[in-house]
Amino acid sequence: MTAKAVPMLDLKRQYEPLHRELLEALGHVLETQHFILGEPVAAFETAAASQLGVNHAVGCASGTDALWLALAAAGIGHGFGPEQEGESRSTDPVTVVTTPFSFFASVSSILRAGATPALVDIYPVTFNLCPVEVERLLDGPRGKSVKAIMPVHLYGQCADFSPGFGRERGISVIEDAAQAWGAERNGVKAGGIGDAAAFSFYPTKNLSAAGDAGMVSTNSDEIAERARMLRQHGMRRRYYHDEMGWNARMDGFQGAVLGVKLKHIERWNEARRAAAARYDQLFRAAGLAESGTHPAKGVILPTEAPGRRHVWHQYVIRTARRDELRAFLAEHQIGSEIYYPVPLHLQEPLKALGYKEGDFPEAERATREVLALPMFAEIRPDEQETVVAAIAEFLS
Ligand SMILES: Cc1ncc(COP(=O)(O)O)c(C=O)c1O
């Protein structure tokens, strides 16, 4: 095989054609001195809400903050700080259901909101929280304390929850849409499916800032107003604090960068979709694609579930000799990544939740088999051919 490096992600290819537009937008922030929130963030929020088809977008400092803000603004959890009058935290548990196969923040934000995470296994085809398992938990002994469900739209594909899920039981849905800008389920965009949603604009995300940034989206006037208050230390009026908030503000430079990139994200998502289709085609043509969810000698390709618009934040295959394959690709200077190598219930600081190995077999198996391949809007067909040829060589 000829050695040709393929990066996991090359942000410079996105930056170069945009550099004038970006420098102009950043220059405007310097001229107006709107460094924190202000006009660039407000303009981004308006455009973002309109693109998602939701009533409100609230910019904040990171996806992690967005998750906490969404939960707190929706009234999920006991919050933090001194116990308020009328509260009885110890005898009134608040449970939020989520997946063990996600980034750490999906669970840490629940704890930060003063609630208890309850984990439920994933559906192996999509890697997302399984609604049937969620129903089972809701019907069980912990069901009564559940106040919210947090589906994570992993890798850019919406989890299988319809708008209104849980409403009859008084349960909110808070979407972790960190990886899913532009994804849809039955024509509804991620961010508009639940009561509120959280986005991350970490630089590797499909819609990315030039640093840390995040956003809450919601159709609820009340949640949006509370999120705005909570992101500024719980202030509605300067230096009068109504609630225990935090500094979770978005800065003006990030608002400006995101405002520019928002105009291009649809095109980039379409390019990712084309790249995913090309990977599928290359793997099939090489005779490597296997069906089912248990890889034998080849690879199991990721799929777009019915009614879903996948935005391919990541293109993730399953394969049995994953770690060896990854090392082989690295030797050939081909990037790859494991999202995620350890399920959340087995992460050190979360062991106190009381789960053990074997509790979530699908999530645990996924951590051993998944491998994310180079994926970004600007990836070239010849680079994808190199990736698939290397995998074919390894598996031959
Ligand atoms: C699924 C998921 N949730 C939450 C986050 C947290 O976002 P951030 O890194 O912007 O705090 C991320 C991104 O890292 C993520 O991928």
Side-chain angles (χ1 to χ4, degrees), residues 39-322:
E39 183 235 305
V41 173
F44 166 67
E45 289 174 339
T46 305
S50 147
Q51 193 174 109
L52 292 181
V54 296
N55 292 340
H56 304 280
V58 181
C60 62
S62 69
T64 306
D65 275 341
L67 284 168
W68 165 70
L69 276 172
L71 288 163
I76 312 296
H78 293 298
F80 59 101
E83 205 163 319
Q84 303 299 308
E85 236 181 85
E87 269 186 3
S88 53
R89 291 183 187 176
S90 50
T91 56
D92 182 17
V94 170
T95 302
V96 179
V97 182
T98 194
T99 160
F101 192 55
S102 181
F103 180 62
F104 188 71
S106 306
V107 165
S108 63
S109 60
I110 294 171
L111 291 161
R112 172 84 200 288
T116 307
L119 304 179
V120 153
D121 212 354
I122 56 167
Y123 178 52
V125 177
T126 60
F127 303 102
N128 280 330
L129 194 57
C130 176
V132 178
E133 294 289 327
V134 172
E135 291 283 2
R136 191 171 309 167
L137 185 135
L138 295 180
D139 292 336
R142 290 189 79 176
K144 263 201 169 147
S145 67
V146 174
K147 295 287 179 293
I149 296 161
M150 183 190 283
V152 180
H153 305 319
L154 204 68
Y155 305 149
Q157 170 153 250
C158 287
D160 199 12
F161 291 84
S162 355
F165 183 96
R167 201 164 287 159
E168 283 158 33
R169 310 190 204 213
I171 293 171
S172 306
V173 172
I174 308 294
E175 302 166 67
D176 181 340
Q179 304 186 2
W181 189 280
E184 291 176 18
R185 184 186 174 282
N186 293 341
V188 182
K189 283 213 159 67
I193 297 169
D195 296 82
F199 288 91
S200 164
F201 305 124
Y202 184 79
T204 59
K205 297 295 192 268
N206 66 328
L207 177 61
S208 64
D212 272 313
M215 192 190 91
V216 174
S217 64
T218 180
N219 283 314
S220 154
D221 297 349
E222 196 188 326
I223 292 176
E225 195 277 331
R226 263 193 102 192
R228 286 181 195 285
M229 177 266 294
L230 290 168
R231 77 176 167 179
Q232 291 248 60
H233 294 289
M235 290 188 285
R236 288 190 173 86
R237 195 156 52 115
R238 214 164 164 74
Y239 305 128
Y240 290 82
H241 302 268
D242 299 333
E243 288 190 44
M244 286 301 299
W246 202 248
N247 172 4
R249 300 175 296 232
M250 182 187 277
D251 75 62
F253 287 123
Q254 302 311 335
V257 167
L258 287 162
V260 169
K261 291 198 183 182
L262 197 61
K263 296 182 209 150
H264 303 275
I265 181 65
E266 262 312 296
R267 180 166 55 82
W268 293 333
N269 279 343
E270 279 306 315
R272 283 174 185 272
R273 290 177 58 76
R278 196 174 305 116
Y279 266 136
D280 285 359
Q281 213 180 341
L282 290 167
F283 277 116
R284 293 214 162 87
L288 300 176
E290 285 177 358
S291 54
T293 56
H294 290 72
K297 289 199 171 123
V299 300
I300 291 177
L301 304 182
T303 53
E304 183 176 58
R308 244 61 66 83
R309 180 186 188 235
H310 201 318
V311 290
W312 301 100
H313 171 59
Q314 299 296 342
Y315 185 91
V316 179
I317 59 168
R318 273 183 191 263
T319 186
R321 290 158 58 212
R322 191 267 317 271

